[in-house]
Amino acid sequence: MKLENKSILVTGGSRGIGRAIAIGMAKEGADIGISYVNKKEKALEVAQEIKNMGSKAVVIQADVSKVSECYGLIDEFFKKFSKMDVLVNNAGICILGKFTNSTEQDYDRVMNTNLKGEFFCAQAAAKKMIKQGGGTIINMSSLNGIVGEPDQCAYNASKGGINMITKSLALELAGYNIKVNGLGPGFIVTEAAEEDVADAEVRREYLQNIPLHRFGKPEDVVGAAVFLASSDSDYFVGQTLYMDGGIMIQQFREMRDKR
Ligand code: NAP
């Protein structure tokens, strides 16, 4: 029980990676706030699963692309839990499309949800954490925060920005006993990613480029999330941990395979 007595907010905890992190942290003894934007039923299902394990679970609606709702979310969490040990800044979206076809609206949606959302949720949480004497912030980045990929330029830019938020906040908040680190998953099969691999040929090509020859599962992110939330990572400052099945460390894979 690495997270016993901790109160944790997981933004975008209703589905996918956030859901797995929320449940994984509850298994380690934490009480969990789950935020969602549209899918209340999904959030309630996660909350029920957590309650069945004996932990407290509360769902909170908020659109993190709006600063007022980031603040509203953090305020609501404090009303329900009275302290926030960990913020998992996970909510995010990706809009696929050619760079030359990308619209201002798509760009704004991605940047406002991912980059602005994590920035202002962290800001609202940090103000409270300073008052309570410390805390932990975990920012959801991506492999695409450090490597490029076609057809999702704004998404990649948002995740690169999140890596800089992680480093900058880690330095700025270290003196307040607030630990800030990040998570950088590779290809994790969730609703958001499923449309990418619906086509069998595309799926095969993706798998050829993953040294472990399988896509990640949301549960593959949980161990690192629990580690960053627990005291085991107390000497980690501004680091982003990547779990990508080996994609990042390779080059010229097809040439190697043909040898
Ligand atoms: P997902 O299954 O689509 O879930 C997205 C979550 O974010 C949902 O809970 C959704 O709430 C919430 N959300 C979306 N827009 C929001 C908004 N404007 N305000 C508040 N909440 C919002 O996505 P996922 O694949 O688990 O991704 C979760 C995070 O991991 C994202 O930051 C993503 O960039 C990152 N990531 C994913 C992958 C991957 O391969 N899947 C890889 C690297 C990084 P509702 O349920 O209410 O819609």
mmCIF file of all heavy atoms in Angstrom, residues 12-18 35-40 42 62-65 90-93 113-114 118 140-143 155 159 184-193, ligand 1:
data_model
loop_
_atom_site.group_PDB
_atom_site.id
_atom_site.type_symbol
_atom_site.label_atom_id
_atom_site.label_comp_id
_atom_site.label_asym_id
_atom_site.label_seq_id
_atom_site.Cartn_x
_atom_site.Cartn_y
_atom_site.Cartn_z
ATOM 1 N N GLY A 12 -9.377 13.537 -16.311
ATOM 2 C CA GLY A 12 -9.625 12.581 -17.394
ATOM 3 C C GLY A 12 -9.521 11.149 -16.898
ATOM 4 O O GLY A 12 -9.008 10.269 -17.593
ATOM 5 N N GLY A 13 -10.043 10.917 -15.688
ATOM 6 C CA GLY A 13 -9.972 9.572 -15.091
ATOM 7 C C GLY A 13 -11.122 8.670 -15.496
ATOM 8 O O GLY A 13 -11.230 7.534 -15.021
ATOM 9 N N SER A 14 -11.977 9.171 -16.370
ATOM 10 C CA SER A 14 -13.170 8.395 -16.739
ATOM 11 C C SER A 14 -12.877 7.277 -17.729
ATOM 12 O O SER A 14 -13.664 6.344 -17.848
ATOM 13 C CB SER A 14 -14.223 9.334 -17.338
ATOM 14 O OG SER A 14 -13.648 10.178 -18.316
ATOM 15 N N ARG A 15 -11.761 7.395 -18.438
ATOM 16 C CA ARG A 15 -11.487 6.426 -19.507
ATOM 17 C C ARG A 15 -9.988 6.246 -19.669
ATOM 18 O O ARG A 15 -9.195 7.026 -19.158
ATOM 19 C CB ARG A 15 -12.026 6.958 -20.844
ATOM 20 C CG ARG A 15 -13.506 6.941 -20.946
ATOM 21 C CD ARG A 15 -13.971 7.312 -22.329
ATOM 22 N NE ARG A 15 -13.843 8.733 -22.622
ATOM 23 C CZ ARG A 15 -13.248 9.217 -23.720
ATOM 24 N NH1 ARG A 15 -12.702 8.408 -24.597
ATOM 25 N NH2 ARG A 15 -13.198 10.520 -23.929
ATOM 26 N N GLY A 16 -9.623 5.215 -20.448
ATOM 27 C CA GLY A 16 -8.266 5.060 -20.941
ATOM 28 C C GLY A 16 -7.198 5.027 -19.857
ATOM 29 O O GLY A 16 -7.337 4.354 -18.834
ATOM 30 N N ILE A 17 -6.132 5.771 -20.104
ATOM 31 C CA ILE A 17 -4.977 5.749 -19.210
ATOM 32 C C ILE A 17 -5.349 6.320 -17.840
ATOM 33 O O ILE A 17 -4.947 5.793 -16.795
ATOM 34 C CB ILE A 17 -3.803 6.547 -19.840
ATOM 35 C CG1 ILE A 17 -3.328 5.858 -21.127
ATOM 36 C CG2 ILE A 17 -2.655 6.686 -18.853
ATOM 37 C CD1 ILE A 17 -2.309 6.667 -21.933
ATOM 38 N N GLY A 18 -6.137 7.401 -17.845
ATOM 39 C CA GLY A 18 -6.539 8.019 -16.575
ATOM 40 C C GLY A 18 -7.328 7.053 -15.704
ATOM 41 O O GLY A 18 -7.134 6.988 -14.485
ATOM 42 N N SER A 35 -11.938 13.274 -12.665
ATOM 43 C CA SER A 35 -12.622 14.303 -13.445
ATOM 44 C C SER A 35 -12.936 13.778 -14.849
ATOM 45 O O SER A 35 -12.246 12.901 -15.374
ATOM 46 C CB SER A 35 -11.805 15.591 -13.513
ATOM 47 O OG SER A 35 -11.009 15.630 -14.665
ATOM 48 N N TYR A 36 -13.995 14.319 -15.427
ATOM 49 C CA TYR A 36 -14.412 13.962 -16.787
ATOM 50 C C TYR A 36 -14.956 15.243 -17.406
ATOM 51 O O TYR A 36 -15.223 16.223 -16.697
ATOM 52 C CB TYR A 36 -15.508 12.874 -16.755
ATOM 53 C CG TYR A 36 -16.807 13.374 -16.163
ATOM 54 C CD1 TYR A 36 -17.848 13.803 -16.992
ATOM 55 C CD2 TYR A 36 -16.970 13.488 -14.789
ATOM 56 C CE1 TYR A 36 -19.023 14.298 -16.453
ATOM 57 C CE2 TYR A 36 -18.141 13.987 -14.246
ATOM 58 C CZ TYR A 36 -19.162 14.391 -15.082
ATOM 59 O OH TYR A 36 -20.317 14.903 -14.543
ATOM 60 N N VAL A 37 -15.150 15.228 -18.729
ATOM 61 C CA VAL A 37 -15.762 16.404 -19.344
ATOM 62 C C VAL A 37 -17.161 16.098 -19.850
ATOM 63 O O VAL A 37 -18.083 16.881 -19.630
ATOM 64 C CB VAL A 37 -14.862 17.027 -20.438
ATOM 65 C CG1 VAL A 37 -14.606 16.096 -21.602
ATOM 66 C CG2 VAL A 37 -15.455 18.328 -20.964
ATOM 67 N N ASN A 38 -17.353 14.942 -20.499
ATOM 68 C CA ASN A 38 -18.665 14.597 -21.070
ATOM 69 C C ASN A 38 -19.224 13.294 -20.526
ATOM 70 O O ASN A 38 -20.422 13.165 -20.333
ATOM 71 C CB ASN A 38 -18.555 14.455 -22.606
ATOM 72 C CG ASN A 38 -18.301 15.793 -23.272
ATOM 73 O OD1 ASN A 38 -18.936 16.790 -22.950
ATOM 74 N ND2 ASN A 38 -17.340 15.819 -24.191
ATOM 75 N N LYS A 39 -18.357 12.306 -20.319
ATOM 76 C CA LYS A 39 -18.829 10.936 -20.095
ATOM 77 C C LYS A 39 -19.013 10.627 -18.618
ATOM 78 O O LYS A 39 -18.238 9.858 -18.018
ATOM 79 C CB LYS A 39 -17.888 9.958 -20.786
ATOM 80 C CG LYS A 39 -17.744 10.290 -22.271
ATOM 81 C CD LYS A 39 -17.365 9.124 -23.120
ATOM 82 C CE LYS A 39 -17.521 9.508 -24.587
ATOM 83 N NZ LYS A 39 -16.939 8.597 -25.526
ATOM 84 N N LYS A 40 -20.069 11.203 -18.046
ATOM 85 C CA LYS A 40 -20.313 11.026 -16.612
ATOM 86 C C LYS A 40 -20.499 9.551 -16.244
ATOM 87 O O LYS A 40 -19.999 9.092 -15.213
ATOM 88 C CB LYS A 40 -21.561 11.822 -16.210
ATOM 89 C CG LYS A 40 -21.812 11.792 -14.725
ATOM 90 C CD LYS A 40 -22.946 12.705 -14.335
ATOM 91 C CE LYS A 40 -23.081 12.749 -12.825
ATOM 92 N NZ LYS A 40 -24.165 13.596 -12.381
ATOM 93 N N LYS A 42 -19.237 6.901 -17.531
ATOM 94 C CA LYS A 42 -17.935 6.216 -17.469
ATOM 95 C C LYS A 42 -17.215 6.574 -16.164
ATOM 96 O O LYS A 42 -16.623 5.724 -15.513
ATOM 97 C CB LYS A 42 -17.058 6.624 -18.661
ATOM 98 C CG LYS A 42 -17.577 6.170 -19.991
ATOM 99 C CD LYS A 42 -17.095 4.759 -20.273
ATOM 100 C CE LYS A 42 -17.607 4.265 -21.603
ATOM 101 N NZ LYS A 42 -17.475 2.817 -21.769
ATOM 102 N N ALA A 62 -15.506 18.845 -15.365
ATOM 103 C CA ALA A 62 -14.793 20.096 -15.673
ATOM 104 C C ALA A 62 -14.194 20.020 -17.066
ATOM 105 O O ALA A 62 -13.667 18.973 -17.444
ATOM 106 C CB ALA A 62 -13.666 20.338 -14.664
ATOM 107 N N ASP A 63 -14.268 21.110 -17.787
ATOM 108 C CA ASP A 63 -13.592 21.208 -19.080
ATOM 109 C C ASP A 63 -12.262 21.915 -18.837
ATOM 110 O O ASP A 63 -12.230 23.138 -18.619
ATOM 111 C CB ASP A 63 -14.470 22.008 -20.055
ATOM 112 C CG ASP A 63 -13.821 22.158 -21.429
ATOM 113 O OD1 ASP A 63 -12.625 21.828 -21.567
ATOM 114 O OD2 ASP A 63 -14.515 22.605 -22.348
ATOM 115 N N VAL A 64 -11.164 21.155 -18.873
ATOM 116 C CA VAL A 64 -9.876 21.742 -18.496
ATOM 117 C C VAL A 64 -9.332 22.716 -19.542
ATOM 118 O O VAL A 64 -8.313 23.364 -19.300
ATOM 119 C CB VAL A 64 -8.806 20.658 -18.179
ATOM 120 C CG1 VAL A 64 -9.230 19.775 -17.021
ATOM 121 C CG2 VAL A 64 -8.457 19.827 -19.413
ATOM 122 N N SER A 65 -9.997 22.823 -20.688
ATOM 123 C CA SER A 65 -9.538 23.815 -21.664
ATOM 124 C C SER A 65 -9.944 25.229 -21.251
ATOM 125 O O SER A 65 -9.549 26.204 -21.895
ATOM 126 C CB SER A 65 -10.075 23.485 -23.060
ATOM 127 O OG SER A 65 -11.462 23.686 -23.123
ATOM 128 N N ASN A 90 -3.870 14.456 -16.366
ATOM 129 C CA ASN A 90 -3.892 13.464 -17.451
ATOM 130 C C ASN A 90 -4.794 13.817 -18.634
ATOM 131 O O ASN A 90 -4.537 13.397 -19.755
ATOM 132 C CB ASN A 90 -4.323 12.114 -16.847
ATOM 133 C CG ASN A 90 -4.758 11.120 -17.906
ATOM 134 O OD1 ASN A 90 -3.931 10.505 -18.579
ATOM 135 N ND2 ASN A 90 -6.066 10.956 -18.071
ATOM 136 N N ALA A 91 -5.856 14.594 -18.403
ATOM 137 C CA ALA A 91 -6.842 14.826 -19.473
ATOM 138 C C ALA A 91 -6.150 15.369 -20.720
ATOM 139 O O ALA A 91 -5.301 16.263 -20.632
ATOM 140 C CB ALA A 91 -7.907 15.809 -19.002
ATOM 141 N N GLY A 92 -6.519 14.827 -21.869
ATOM 142 C CA GLY A 92 -5.890 15.312 -23.098
ATOM 143 C C GLY A 92 -6.570 14.751 -24.323
ATOM 144 O O GLY A 92 -7.294 13.760 -24.244
ATOM 145 N N ILE A 93 -6.329 15.420 -25.455
ATOM 146 C CA ILE A 93 -6.906 14.948 -26.720
ATOM 147 C C ILE A 93 -5.862 15.032 -27.825
ATOM 148 O O ILE A 93 -4.878 15.772 -27.710
ATOM 149 C CB ILE A 93 -8.135 15.792 -27.154
ATOM 150 C CG1 ILE A 93 -7.766 17.283 -27.297
ATOM 151 C CG2 ILE A 93 -9.301 15.600 -26.206
ATOM 152 C CD1 ILE A 93 -8.815 18.096 -28.035
ATOM 153 N N THR A 113 -6.735 22.190 -24.439
ATOM 154 C CA THR A 113 -7.003 21.043 -23.565
ATOM 155 C C THR A 113 -5.709 20.529 -22.952
ATOM 156 O O THR A 113 -5.626 20.327 -21.722
ATOM 157 C CB THR A 113 -7.677 19.896 -24.366
ATOM 158 O OG1 THR A 113 -8.824 20.414 -25.035
ATOM 159 C CG2 THR A 113 -8.094 18.765 -23.445
ATOM 160 N N ASN A 114 -4.701 20.322 -23.789
ATOM 161 C CA ASN A 114 -3.485 19.657 -23.308
ATOM 162 C C ASN A 114 -2.563 20.625 -22.550
ATOM 163 O O ASN A 114 -2.285 20.428 -21.363
ATOM 164 C CB ASN A 114 -2.723 19.034 -24.477
ATOM 165 C CG ASN A 114 -3.544 17.969 -25.207
ATOM 166 O OD1 ASN A 114 -4.679 17.677 -24.840
ATOM 167 N ND2 ASN A 114 -2.985 17.396 -26.245
ATOM 168 N N GLU A 118 -3.228 21.566 -18.597
ATOM 169 C CA GLU A 118 -2.265 21.082 -17.588
ATOM 170 C C GLU A 118 -1.624 22.258 -16.852
ATOM 171 O O GLU A 118 -1.391 22.203 -15.645
ATOM 172 C CB GLU A 118 -1.206 20.182 -18.239
ATOM 173 C CG GLU A 118 -1.810 18.867 -18.731
ATOM 174 C CD GLU A 118 -0.832 17.701 -18.884
ATOM 175 O OE1 GLU A 118 0.270 17.752 -18.300
ATOM 176 O OE2 GLU A 118 -1.187 16.724 -19.578
ATOM 177 N N MET A 140 0.924 14.457 -17.644
ATOM 178 C CA MET A 140 0.896 13.458 -18.711
ATOM 179 C C MET A 140 1.470 14.053 -19.975
ATOM 180 O O MET A 140 0.867 14.927 -20.605
ATOM 181 C CB MET A 140 -0.540 12.980 -18.957
ATOM 182 C CG MET A 140 -0.619 11.874 -19.985
ATOM 183 S SD MET A 140 0.381 10.420 -19.585
ATOM 184 C CE MET A 140 -0.600 9.712 -18.255
ATOM 185 N N SER A 141 2.658 13.574 -20.331
ATOM 186 C CA SER A 141 3.256 13.953 -21.606
ATOM 187 C C SER A 141 2.995 12.826 -22.592
ATOM 188 O O SER A 141 1.929 12.203 -22.582
ATOM 189 C CB SER A 141 4.756 14.216 -21.415
ATOM 190 O OG SER A 141 5.345 14.558 -22.645
ATOM 191 N N SER A 142 3.980 12.512 -23.400
ATOM 192 C CA SER A 142 3.854 11.458 -24.410
ATOM 193 C C SER A 142 5.233 11.241 -24.998
ATOM 194 O O SER A 142 6.099 12.133 -24.937
ATOM 195 C CB SER A 142 2.901 11.931 -25.512
ATOM 196 O OG SER A 142 3.011 11.107 -26.656
ATOM 197 N N LEU A 143 5.410 10.087 -25.604
ATOM 198 C CA LEU A 143 6.603 9.871 -26.426
ATOM 199 C C LEU A 143 6.718 11.022 -27.431
ATOM 200 O O LEU A 143 7.809 11.482 -27.752
ATOM 201 C CB LEU A 143 6.461 8.524 -27.149
ATOM 202 C CG LEU A 143 7.520 8.154 -28.162
ATOM 203 C CD1 LEU A 143 8.890 8.050 -27.509
ATOM 204 C CD2 LEU A 143 7.155 6.850 -28.840
ATOM 205 N N TYR A 155 -0.545 18.326 -31.500
ATOM 206 C CA TYR A 155 -0.475 17.422 -30.340
ATOM 207 C C TYR A 155 0.983 17.291 -29.862
ATOM 208 O O TYR A 155 1.268 17.418 -28.674
ATOM 209 C CB TYR A 155 -1.038 16.052 -30.726
ATOM 210 C CG TYR A 155 -0.945 15.019 -29.625
ATOM 211 C CD1 TYR A 155 -1.896 14.974 -28.608
ATOM 212 C CD2 TYR A 155 0.090 14.090 -29.591
ATOM 213 C CE1 TYR A 155 -1.810 14.031 -27.592
ATOM 214 C CE2 TYR A 155 0.178 13.145 -28.587
ATOM 215 C CZ TYR A 155 -0.779 13.113 -27.591
ATOM 216 O OH TYR A 155 -0.696 12.184 -26.579
ATOM 217 N N LYS A 159 2.678 18.416 -26.247
ATOM 218 C CA LYS A 159 3.364 17.505 -25.313
ATOM 219 C C LYS A 159 4.808 17.958 -25.067
ATOM 220 O O LYS A 159 5.328 17.813 -23.967
ATOM 221 C CB LYS A 159 3.306 16.063 -25.836
ATOM 222 C CG LYS A 159 1.886 15.490 -25.869
ATOM 223 C CD LYS A 159 1.248 15.442 -24.474
ATOM 224 C CE LYS A 159 -0.131 14.833 -24.467
ATOM 225 N NZ LYS A 159 -0.739 14.764 -23.133
ATOM 226 N N GLY A 184 5.498 9.641 -19.946
ATOM 227 C CA GLY A 184 5.519 9.727 -21.406
ATOM 228 C C GLY A 184 5.240 8.382 -22.057
ATOM 229 O O GLY A 184 6.171 7.682 -22.465
ATOM 230 N N PRO A 185 3.958 8.030 -22.174
ATOM 231 C CA PRO A 185 3.641 6.740 -22.803
ATOM 232 C C PRO A 185 3.899 6.773 -24.308
ATOM 233 O O PRO A 185 3.823 7.827 -24.949
ATOM 234 C CB PRO A 185 2.135 6.564 -22.548
ATOM 235 C CG PRO A 185 1.763 7.605 -21.537
ATOM 236 C CD PRO A 185 2.756 8.716 -21.691
ATOM 237 N N GLY A 186 4.164 5.575 -24.856
ATOM 238 C CA GLY A 186 4.223 5.403 -26.304
ATOM 239 C C GLY A 186 2.816 5.144 -26.811
ATOM 240 O O GLY A 186 1.882 5.860 -26.449
ATOM 241 N N PHE A 187 2.660 4.106 -27.623
ATOM 242 C CA PHE A 187 1.350 3.830 -28.219
ATOM 243 C C PHE A 187 0.536 2.949 -27.281
ATOM 244 O O PHE A 187 0.773 1.756 -27.174
ATOM 245 C CB PHE A 187 1.518 3.144 -29.576
ATOM 246 C CG PHE A 187 0.306 3.288 -30.434
ATOM 247 C CD1 PHE A 187 0.396 3.892 -31.676
ATOM 248 C CD2 PHE A 187 -0.938 2.850 -29.998
ATOM 249 C CE1 PHE A 187 -0.730 4.043 -32.480
ATOM 250 C CE2 PHE A 187 -2.068 3.004 -30.778
ATOM 251 C CZ PHE A 187 -1.963 3.597 -32.020
ATOM 252 N N ILE A 188 -0.429 3.550 -26.611
ATOM 253 C CA ILE A 188 -1.275 2.816 -25.669
ATOM 254 C C ILE A 188 -2.666 2.701 -26.294
ATOM 255 O O ILE A 188 -3.253 3.717 -26.698
ATOM 256 C CB ILE A 188 -1.391 3.580 -24.323
ATOM 257 C CG1 ILE A 188 -0.006 3.954 -23.769
ATOM 258 C CG2 ILE A 188 -2.200 2.777 -23.321
ATOM 259 C CD1 ILE A 188 0.847 2.828 -23.278
ATOM 260 N N VAL A 189 -3.180 1.500 -26.378
ATOM 261 C CA VAL A 189 -4.481 1.344 -27.040
ATOM 262 C C VAL A 189 -5.612 1.756 -26.090
ATOM 263 O O VAL A 189 -5.889 1.099 -25.083
ATOM 264 C CB VAL A 189 -4.695 -0.088 -27.563
ATOM 265 C CG1 VAL A 189 -6.074 -0.209 -28.205
ATOM 266 C CG2 VAL A 189 -3.629 -0.409 -28.605
ATOM 267 N N THR A 190 -6.204 2.889 -26.406
ATOM 268 C CA THR A 190 -7.368 3.421 -25.694
ATOM 269 C C THR A 190 -8.339 3.892 -26.776
ATOM 270 O O THR A 190 -8.003 3.845 -27.964
ATOM 271 C CB THR A 190 -6.990 4.635 -24.823
ATOM 272 O OG1 THR A 190 -6.523 5.669 -25.702
ATOM 273 C CG2 THR A 190 -5.906 4.303 -23.809
ATOM 274 N N GLU A 191 -9.505 4.388 -26.358
ATOM 275 C CA GLU A 191 -10.459 4.891 -27.374
ATOM 276 C C GLU A 191 -9.801 5.917 -28.288
ATOM 277 O O GLU A 191 -10.010 5.925 -29.483
ATOM 278 C CB GLU A 191 -11.663 5.542 -26.679
ATOM 279 C CG GLU A 191 -12.772 4.565 -26.392
ATOM 280 C CD GLU A 191 -13.911 5.240 -25.651
ATOM 281 O OE1 GLU A 191 -14.449 6.234 -26.163
ATOM 282 O OE2 GLU A 191 -14.240 4.756 -24.544
ATOM 283 N N ALA A 192 -8.990 6.804 -27.686
ATOM 284 C CA ALA A 192 -8.362 7.880 -28.458
ATOM 285 C C ALA A 192 -7.436 7.321 -29.525
ATOM 286 O O ALA A 192 -7.283 7.901 -30.595
ATOM 287 C CB ALA A 192 -7.582 8.807 -27.530
ATOM 288 N N ALA A 193 -6.798 6.201 -29.244
ATOM 289 C CA ALA A 193 -5.781 5.666 -30.147
ATOM 290 C C ALA A 193 -6.330 4.596 -31.084
ATOM 291 O O ALA A 193 -5.687 4.258 -32.069
ATOM 292 C CB ALA A 193 -4.626 5.101 -29.322
HETATM 293 P P1 NAP B 1 -8.954 8.891 -23.781
HETATM 294 O O1 NAP B 1 -9.150 7.431 -23.598
HETATM 295 O O2 NAP B 1 -9.556 9.564 -24.966
HETATM 296 O O3 NAP B 1 -9.458 9.647 -22.459
HETATM 297 C C1 NAP B 1 -9.358 11.047 -22.420
HETATM 298 C C2 NAP B 1 -9.800 11.540 -21.070
HETATM 299 O O4 NAP B 1 -9.627 12.957 -21.017
HETATM 300 C C3 NAP B 1 -11.272 11.262 -20.796
HETATM 301 O O5 NAP B 1 -11.414 11.016 -19.429
HETATM 302 C C4 NAP B 1 -11.942 12.575 -21.198
HETATM 303 O O6 NAP B 1 -13.173 12.809 -20.496
HETATM 304 C C5 NAP B 1 -10.878 13.571 -20.739
HETATM 305 N N1 NAP B 1 -10.956 14.842 -21.468
HETATM 306 C C6 NAP B 1 -10.894 15.052 -22.802
HETATM 307 N N2 NAP B 1 -11.038 16.366 -23.083
HETATM 308 C C7 NAP B 1 -11.210 16.992 -21.894
HETATM 309 C C8 NAP B 1 -11.444 18.341 -21.505
HETATM 310 N N3 NAP B 1 -11.524 19.337 -22.408
HETATM 311 N N4 NAP B 1 -11.594 18.623 -20.183
HETATM 312 C C9 NAP B 1 -11.507 17.640 -19.268
HETATM 313 N N5 NAP B 1 -11.300 16.344 -19.554
HETATM 314 C C10 NAP B 1 -11.161 16.032 -20.860
HETATM 315 O O7 NAP B 1 -7.382 9.267 -23.818
HETATM 316 P P2 NAP B 1 -6.093 8.438 -23.362
HETATM 317 O O8 NAP B 1 -5.553 7.764 -24.563
HETATM 318 O O9 NAP B 1 -6.354 7.668 -22.127
HETATM 319 O O10 NAP B 1 -5.105 9.650 -23.040
HETATM 320 C C11 NAP B 1 -4.956 10.183 -21.737
HETATM 321 C C12 NAP B 1 -3.724 11.049 -21.700
HETATM 322 O O11 NAP B 1 -2.580 10.278 -22.061
HETATM 323 C C13 NAP B 1 -3.756 12.230 -22.677
HETATM 324 O O12 NAP B 1 -3.120 13.352 -22.095
HETATM 325 C C14 NAP B 1 -2.953 11.720 -23.844
HETATM 326 O O13 NAP B 1 -2.381 12.756 -24.613
HETATM 327 C C15 NAP B 1 -1.898 10.904 -23.122
HETATM 328 N N6 NAP B 1 -1.254 9.903 -23.962
HETATM 329 C C16 NAP B 1 -1.977 8.925 -24.569
HETATM 330 C C17 NAP B 1 -1.333 7.988 -25.363
HETATM 331 C C18 NAP B 1 -2.055 6.878 -26.049
HETATM 332 O O14 NAP B 1 -1.434 6.200 -26.897
HETATM 333 N N7 NAP B 1 -3.300 6.607 -25.740
HETATM 334 C C19 NAP B 1 0.061 8.071 -25.530
HETATM 335 C C20 NAP B 1 0.756 9.092 -24.895
HETATM 336 C C21 NAP B 1 0.096 10.007 -24.106
HETATM 337 P P3 NAP B 1 -14.589 12.193 -21.042
HETATM 338 O O15 NAP B 1 -14.517 10.704 -20.745
HETATM 339 O O16 NAP B 1 -15.633 12.861 -20.266
HETATM 340 O O17 NAP B 1 -14.642 12.476 -22.497
#
